[in-house]
Amino acid sequence: MKGVQKLSNRRGETFTGWAFAAPFAVLFVLFLVVPAIYGLYLSFTGETLTGSGGELLGFANYTEALTDPDMWRSLGNTLWFTVLSTVPLVVLSLAFALLVNLGLPGRWLWRLSFFLPYLLASTVVVMFWSWMYNPKLGLINGVLAEVGIGPVAWLQDPKVAMISVVVTTLWWTIGFNFLLYLAALQNIPEQQFEAAAIDGAGKWRQLFSIVIPQLAPTTTLILTLQVLASLKVFDQIYMLTNGGPAGSTRSIVQYIYESGFTGYRFGYSSAISYLFFAIIVLVSLAQYKLINRRSAA
């Protein structure tokens, strides 16, 4: 009887668990699994925005995408943005967290100042920085004029447009990484610093021997999240430069959007999106193997 009762209780717990998970599972299947499968199907067809051309094309879309110079240029812009943005977003957020953790007066104000921009909508951020970058009325060129430097076309010059987007992204998103680092710093036991000080270790020695090693898991998390977020960049570039000038800032996500909703080629844009998905998976696997190799060492 006890065995039957335990089995009955276990079945009841299983049913309750599935009942609680069912709403999420239904939404997950409807809004993620089904669209993903349907998108994969579309990538093998000539489907258009008007609903025509739904015949199967095999791998024709993938072959065209792999030989499309605009696709490769957009992918190159995305990778370049990832490189330019990831390093400062990690290094500067760590530096700011270290400064605030030192016990500066008004730490709450510093925390608020660094994190507040992250809470702003992308449209607000873009509107603010568009005025800052204005060649004639912008604050940045106004400051440069005061020191005798001529105006710079921040968003119109292909040489500096991507850097301008990176600066905007840095100001906007650094608060999230800063908060993660600050939380990790506050979790380092104070006894470790006291023991190091007794052994004669100075602040720099403590930084490289205690702080940075203790922050390794947080740094790994931030690097992973940052690389994935940078690869999927779209909104700030689209609103600041619309991919210009001359396509110098157009990201791969914007090219997917334009292929589907401007060029009306749903099948082709789906093929590009799945190629991009494969690249993201490869990057994630490479990061995972690198992290495991360092952990094993």
Side-chain angles (χ1 to χ4, degrees), residues 265-283:
R265 302 182 63 190
F266 270 8
Y268 183 59
S269 64
S270 297
I272 299 174
S273 66
Y274 276 91
L275 287 174
F276 183 51
F277 172 72
I279 292 173
I280 291 178
V281 170
L282 291 175
V283 171

Side-chain angles (χ1 to χ4, degrees), residues 16-255:
T16 302
W18 278 108
F20 276 109
F24 169 78
V26 171
L27 294 175
F28 179 80
V29 170
L30 286 178
F31 294 102
L32 188 64
V33 176
V34 172
I37 295 174
Y38 183 61
L40 182 61
Y41 164 76
L42 285 180
S43 69
F44 294 101
T45 71
E47 185 78 24
T48 66
L49 187 61
T50 60
S52 62
E55 68 279 359
L56 288 173
L57 301 178
F59 289 94
N61 287 329
Y62 289 93
T63 303
E64 181 182 352
L66 291 173
T67 57
D68 185 353
D70 290 332
M71 193 279 288
W72 286 110
R73 186 182 184 190
S74 301
L75 180 60
N77 290 337
T78 303
L79 296 177
W80 182 230
F81 172 85
T82 301
V83 172
L84 288 177
S85 61
T86 298
V87 175
L89 278 170
V90 173
V91 174
L92 291 180
S93 60
L94 174 59
F96 292 157
L98 288 170
L99 288 173
V100 172
N101 196 58
L102 286 176
L104 297 175
R107 282 200 295 178
W108 68 270
L109 181 60
W110 290 104
R111 289 196 294 265
L112 180 65
S113 300
F114 288 132
F115 187 69
L116 187 59
Y118 183 73
L119 302 178
L120 299 176
S122 57
T123 50
V124 176
V125 173
V126 168
M127 185 178 296
F128 172 74
W129 280 93
S130 294
W131 279 103
M132 294 277 285
Y133 287 136
N134 189 288
K136 296 181 179 180
L137 305 175
L139 177 63
I140 298 177
N141 278 347
V143 173
L144 293 178
E146 293 294 328
V147 295
I149 301 176
V152 178
W154 295 103
L155 299 178
Q156 294 78 30
D157 187 346
K159 297 179 181 178
V160 296
M162 184 62 81
I163 297 175
S164 302
V165 173
V166 169
V167 171
T168 301
T169 305
L170 180 65
W171 179 86
W172 179 27
T173 61
I174 197 171
F176 180 73
N177 296 345
F178 160 78
L179 204 63
L180 291 178
Y181 269 130
L182 187 61
L185 283 169
Q186 293 174 349
N187 283 331
I188 299 177
E190 190 65 31
Q191 293 85 348
Q192 295 187 15
F193 297 104
E194 294 174 356
I198 293 174
D199 291 338
K203 294 296 183 182
W204 286 106
R205 183 64 178 176
Q206 292 178 22
L207 173 65
F208 289 102
S209 297
I210 298 177
V211 175
I212 293 180
Q214 292 276 2
L215 294 180
T218 304
T219 301
T220 299
L221 173 64
I222 290 175
L223 275 173
T224 303
L225 295 176
Q226 191 57 58
V227 168
L228 295 178
S230 296
L231 286 173
K232 296 183 293 183
V233 64
F234 171 72
D235 44 359
Q236 65 265 42
I237 287 182
Y238 184 74
M239 289 185 285
L240 277 172
T241 66
N242 195 25
S248 61
T249 62
R250 181 169 57 182
S251 67
I252 186 65
V253 176
Q254 182 177 342
Y255 188 62

Side-chain angles (χ1 to χ4, degrees), residues 49 255-266 269:
L49 187 61
Y255 188 62
I256 293 171
Y257 166 78
E258 291 175 351
S259 298
F261 292 94
T262 304
Y264 306 134
R265 302 182 63 190
F266 270 8
S269 64

